[in-house]
Amino acid sequence: VQLQASGGGLVQAGDSLKLSCAASGRIFSSGVVGWFRQAPGKEREFVAAIRWGTGMRYYEDSVRGRFTISRDSAKNTVYLQMNSLKPDDAAVYYCAWGAEYGTTPKPYKKWGPGTLVTVSS
């Protein structure tokens, strides 16, 4: 089973981007899918997560109200809609799957390669 994040790019502050996380297998039939990001010289940090079964969503405080995580069961894909992007949002964004929810990388056992988001001021 593999995860693949896509949708990153270069945008200006205030713009929007929509990231996608597609799974090659049925790993998304349960558990939690999370988005994390890592900027140069910083630790990987939690952004948002969604419980696949219930759809319950979680957000890091700095993105709440600007970012929306969603899922498409038919496509086995999780999305991260990012609006009102700020230069501080620039990072490599990773999606990950875990059996349990958490705001640290530890509970997430499957990771895909990241997608780069660059935000110019």
Side-chain angles (χ1 to χ4, degrees):
V1 175
Q2 294 184 337
L3 306 181
Q4 182 64 55
S6 62
L10 171 63
V11 297
Q12 292 185 333
D15 285 350
S16 299
L17 272 178
K18 187 174 184 177
L19 306 183
S20 300
C21 176
S24 61
R26 294 292 297 175
I27 194 173
F28 287 173
S29 62
S30 63
V32 180
V33 177
W35 284 98
F36 287 75
R37 65 187 180 188
Q38 189 166 17
K42 295 186 177 181
E43 293 187 353
R44 193 166 297 190
E45 66 174 2
F46 172 77
V47 175
I50 186 167
R51 291 189 183 271
W52 192 258
T54 64
M56 184 173 292
R57 306 173 185 184
Y58 308 87
Y59 296 98
E60 193 270 331
D61 287 345
S62 70
V63 307
R64 185 176 290 112
R66 299 188 297 123
F67 292 9
T68 302
I69 189 170
S70 61
R71 72 191 192 295
D72 185 328
S73 301
K75 296 182 178 179
N76 221 27
T77 300
V78 172
Y79 303 99
L80 185 68
Q81 176 68 46
M82 306 186 296
N83 299 330
S84 303
L85 282 162
K86 304 175 181 179
D88 285 349
D89 295 319
V92 177
Y93 282 70
Y94 300 88
C95 65
W97 176 89
E100 300 294 335
Y101 165 69
T103 58
T104 69
K106 187 175 180 179
Y108 300 87
K109 306 305 181 184
K110 295 286 186 180
W111 292 80
T115 184
L116 178 63
V117 173
T118 305
V119 183
S120 64
S121 58

